[in-house]
Amino acid sequence: MADAAVVVEKLSKHYAGPPPVDAVRGIDLEVARGEIFGLLGPNGAGKTTTVGMCTTRVVPSAGRVSVDGIDVRADPPGARGRIGVVTQFNTLDRSCTVSENLQYHCRYFGMSHRDAKARAQELLETFRLTDRAGASVMALSGGMAQRLQVARSIAHRPVVLFLDEPTSGLDPQSRIALWEVLGALHDEGTTVILTTHYMEEADRLCDRLAVIDHGEILIMGTPEQLKRQVGVETVVTLRLDGDRAGAVTALSVLPGVDRAEVVEDEVLVYLAEREGPLPGIVQSALGFGLADLAVAEPTLETVFIQLTGRALRD
Amino acid sequence: MTSSVTSGVSEPRTVARSTARVSYRAAFWGLIVRDTRVLSRSMTQFLLRTVIQPFLFVFVFLYVFPNIGAQIHGPGKSSFGTVLLPGLVAVAIMFQGIQAVGLPLVNEFAQTREIEDRVMAPLPTSLVAFEKILFGAMQAVLAAVIVFPMVLFFPNANVHPHVNFPLLVAEIIVSCLSAGALGLAIGTGWNPRQVPLIFSLIVIPITFLGCIYYPWAALHPIRWLQIVILANPLVYVSEGLRGAITPNIEHMAWPVSMGVLIVIGAGLTWLGMRGFRRRVLD
């Protein structure tokens, strides 16, 4: 990639333990300027460690990260000047008000008192926090606190914004509001790297994403590319009260069925065409105590299941 | 939500990005400004934690004791107030390190994580740690400036200082930086569950065995104790200030007390910086 905002090469992190853990195992990726890039994977996949190494907080065991051409390990302050970070936790400065959280952040990044104040005012308006400007950050709701954290992370106009599970624990309304903010940042050309274990979030927000599990990238591409590579048109999800293994055997041989498998407590049936084989599937499943049925196009969840044999949700 | 988040203007894709390197000095100054604001907001708390302990000391030892016929005298012909003055200034300095740097850091690392934004500021991590030492030292200076006149002018204190100002300034600077370094070492080395232990294992022993109520030389009848407490940094702060404020009372030669304090302060700084990096980097 000629003009990459972030380049990750053979990045690894080994924790000596006990127990010893290879949290990240030789990840390579490049993120283009202006791209929203997602790291999708279950909890413990190595997403947070990867972001930690990109944002100077985790020292890599091997490999290299550069952000906007700056080697993160060789020049952490230089890298920190170019990135914004929103972690999984509320890290707002509790000794300061909402407005001061933004102002002092700007001061840390070299702005004058006047510029910092003006920038804070601007962000409070943009993020609809003006009426809370003088409040303690401890009085904010979860959604508002997260908005303030995002506002703070972009206050110094970073080249790349890292968000680690940004919508985890948020109510649906706050989640959608945050997606709108990220969409606006994208429109402005900010490079965004986010981790998530919500496939809907990854699908909706990301230009490209990498599916990560056990510290390795399993597949990388646009959401459409990833879903296409599953090679099926429709996924039928069945909840059965009866013998699931027996159902898989029976369903697999039906015409139009590509394959069927048990994933956790459900039976997934993959169809090469849209809806033709459905009546036959229902007929057959009734014999195995059909309790519930859902028909959908393949999702990123389907991709993950195909790659790992496990569901993504925790 | 408006369509323009980063720039605050409505022209898309014209956002000027932060690519210029921020000077470390500007970032460091930002940290100082933040801490000053937080301190100014909690000034009452600062004054209470600074004043109450030394006030109670002088109240009990210089007012209550004489009035119940239990007057304490200093060594030789010196008054007990004269012994106490440098000692109480010393303890005020040392405890600012623990209270202003150590205890808040224990919480910030383990629970609130509110130090995160400062750690992610564009300057080396060691400078973020040093700012903690420096700002703790500034609070220690403030504490010394408050406690000194309070003891000096306490009714019946009968204090006879002979202040050597250049030496006093030097002693205050070295003592306050050492206190900040002690705070950093404690703040990065202990977790919240151990806070009660900080009081039992550090605060109380260094106070009682810190040459606050007696000069070090006066301990010669208990030789083993005189030697054991040489491990206590507060001894060198008290003795150094004694040399600068009340030189008529027997005290360690200032090059010795200051020299040892500089070595201890440097050691605590190294320990604190290392602890800070370990807590911040994974």
Side-chain angles (χ1 to χ4, degrees):
Chain A
M1 207 174 287
D3 191 27
V6 177
V7 179
V8 173
E9 293 168 300
K10 299 184 172 46
L11 195 63
S12 298
K13 180 64 182 176
H14 174 79
Y15 290 102
V21 176
D22 283 311
V24 175
R25 307 168 190 226
I27 282 183
D28 288 288
L29 56 89
E30 287 191 12
V31 179
R33 286 183 197 276
E35 203 173 23
I36 298 192
F37 188 90
L39 288 170
L40 177 70
N43 292 330
K47 307 187 298 288
T48 298
T49 309
T50 303
V51 168
M53 288 191 278
C54 293
T55 58
T56 75
R57 293 303 294 281
V58 178
V59 182
S61 306
R64 184 174 172 276
V65 180
S66 74
V67 174
D68 197 28
I70 301 236
D71 186 321
V72 170
R73 198 169 177 186
D75 181 10
R80 286 198 285 263
R82 286 165 158 77
I83 60 175
V85 183
V86 178
T87 66
Q88 282 182 48
F89 309 101
N90 178 340
T91 62
L92 294 170
D93 192 336
R94 296 176 193 201
S95 308
C96 295
T97 64
V98 169
S99 172
E100 285 171 350
N101 262 273
L102 299 172
Q103 275 185 55
Y104 291 129
H105 179 91
C106 293
R107 299 297 301 266
Y108 307 154
F109 284 81
M111 285 189 207
S112 68
H113 172 69
R114 184 188 294 186
D115 290 350
K117 210 167 173 180
R119 178 68 174 144
Q121 192 58 40
E122 183 180 276
L123 287 165
L124 288 171
E125 282 165 23
T126 308
F127 284 80
R128 300 197 306 261
L129 288 163
T130 309
D131 57 336
R132 305 285 175 137
S136 159
V137 296
M138 286 187 279
L140 297 180
S141 68
M144 277 194 262
Q146 187 67 327
R147 280 217 299 278
L148 179 57
Q149 293 212 94
V150 176
R152 187 179 67 175
S153 70
I154 60 163
H156 57 289
R157 302 183 176 90
V159 179
V160 184
L161 175 63
F162 290 88
L163 302 117
D164 192 8
E165 300 277 358
T167 59
S168 192
L170 288 190
D171 59 82
Q173 200 182 353
S174 301
R175 180 174 298 174
I176 290 166
L178 187 65
W179 288 353
E180 283 175 13
V181 171
L182 297 180
L185 284 167
H186 185 231
D187 292 343
E188 288 182 4
T190 305
T191 308
V192 178
I193 297 183
L194 62 90
T195 74
T196 184
H197 63 277
Y198 298 118
M199 55 175 179
E200 187 195 350
E201 186 163 282
D203 201 353
R204 180 166 167 170
L205 286 178
C206 298
D207 297 318
R208 282 192 314 136
L209 51 93
V211 177
I212 178 168
D213 194 29
H214 297 305
E216 288 173 314
I217 290 179
L218 304 178
I219 194 167
M220 188 157 40
T222 66
E224 286 313 311
Q225 285 170 340
L226 265 50
K227 284 182 277 186
R228 261 205 312 276
Q229 72 87 45
V230 175
V232 294
E233 283 289 326
T234 306
V235 182
V236 182
T237 305
L238 303 170
R239 277 181 178 274
L240 304 174
D241 293 331
D243 173 19
R244 288 194 285 263
V248 165
T249 313
L251 290 163
S252 297
V253 297
L254 291 178
V257 171
D258 185 70
R259 65 187 189 281
E261 63 182 339
V262 178
V263 176
E264 291 169 7
D265 56 351
E266 292 171 338
V267 172
L268 302 189
V269 187
Y270 302 96
L271 311 184
E273 54 190 278
R274 281 205 182 273
E275 280 153 10
L278 261 183
I281 290 171
V282 174
Q283 194 68 41
S284 174
L286 282 170
F288 293 95
L290 178 62
D292 192 17
L293 172 148
V295 182
E297 289 182 356
T299 63
L300 293 174
E301 175 101 25
T302 320
V303 177
F304 189 80
I305 289 169
Q306 181 168 311
L307 291 167
T308 67
R310 290 182 292 123
L312 185 57
R313 58 181 168 259
D314 45 356
Chain B
M1 201 72 59
T2 70
S3 65
S4 179
V5 179
T6 314
S7 59
V9 294
S10 52
E11 290 285 312
R13 296 190 183 277
T14 56
V15 180
R17 302 284 164 193
S18 141
T19 52
R21 182 172 286 275
V22 178
S23 82
Y24 293 166
R25 189 189 300 173
F28 192 84
W29 181 242
L31 300 175
I32 294 276
V33 170
R34 180 262 173 202
D35 279 352
T36 307
R37 174 75 184 119
V38 172
L39 175 65
S40 71
R41 200 169 14 231
S42 55
M43 210 26 140
T44 312
Q45 203 186 344
F46 171 82
L47 287 174
L48 289 174
R49 78 172 183 232
T50 303
V51 165
I52 284 185
Q53 195 204 27
F55 176 79
L56 287 174
F57 266 120
V58 288
F59 178 73
V60 170
F61 289 116
L62 303 182
Y63 176 77
V64 175
F65 272 36
N67 278 299
I68 60 173
Q71 180 128 23
I72 303 174
H73 297 278
K77 291 179 182 170
S78 57
S79 72
F80 189 48
T82 310
V83 175
L84 271 186
L85 175 62
L88 289 180
V89 172
V91 85
I93 287 173
M94 220 55 185
F95 283 1
Q96 281 307 319
I98 297 172
Q99 291 181 310
V101 182
L103 299 181
L105 259 187
V106 167
N107 268 327
E108 287 185 19
F109 274 129
Q111 286 165 347
T112 65
R113 301 171 194 261
E114 61 194 299
I115 199 162
E116 189 71 25
D117 196 40
R118 280 163 277 158
V119 167
M120 289 308 291
L123 75 171
T125 305
S126 53
L127 280 181
V128 181
F130 181 68
E131 191 272 344
K132 283 274 151 204
I133 294 181
L134 189 66
F135 199 75
M138 284 157 68
Q139 292 180 73
V141 171
L142 202 55
V145 168
I146 292 167
V147 169
F148 186 92
M150 192 186 79
V151 179
L152 184 62
F153 298 118
F154 190 82
N156 297 332
N158 199 19
V159 180
H160 306 289
H162 296 275
V163 178
N164 175 344
F165 276 102
L167 183 58
L168 178 61
V169 169
E171 289 288 354
I172 294 260
I173 291 172
V174 173
S175 303
C176 291
L177 286 171
S178 302
L182 174 69
L184 187 70
I186 289 175
T188 56
W190 298 63
N191 67 51
R193 276 175 296 129
Q194 296 169 321
V195 166
L197 276 182
I198 294 177
F199 282 91
S200 315
L201 293 182
I202 298 179
V203 174
I204 294 173
I206 70 169
T207 312
F208 280 87
L209 303 174
C211 293
I212 295 167
Y213 324 111
Y214 41 82
W216 183 75
L219 284 178
H220 66 85
I222 320 169
R223 187 70 183 152
W224 65 266
L225 184 64
Q226 201 178 28
I227 290 166
V228 165
I229 65 171
L230 287 176
N232 182 354
L234 189 53
V235 167
Y236 305 98
V237 179
S238 304
E239 288 290 303
L241 290 173
R242 205 157 268 136
I245 299 172
T246 57
N248 292 344
I249 292 181
E250 206 177 344
H251 56 269
M252 283 182 192
W254 73 262
V256 174
S257 58
M258 193 183 285
V260 176
L261 192 58
I262 287 171
V263 171
I264 291 177
L268 288 169
T269 302
W270 177 81
L271 200 65
M273 294 272 194
R274 192 187 66 158
F276 196 87
R277 274 194 301 275
R278 284 188 176 176
R279 296 299 290 263
V280 163
L281 296 177
D282 194 3

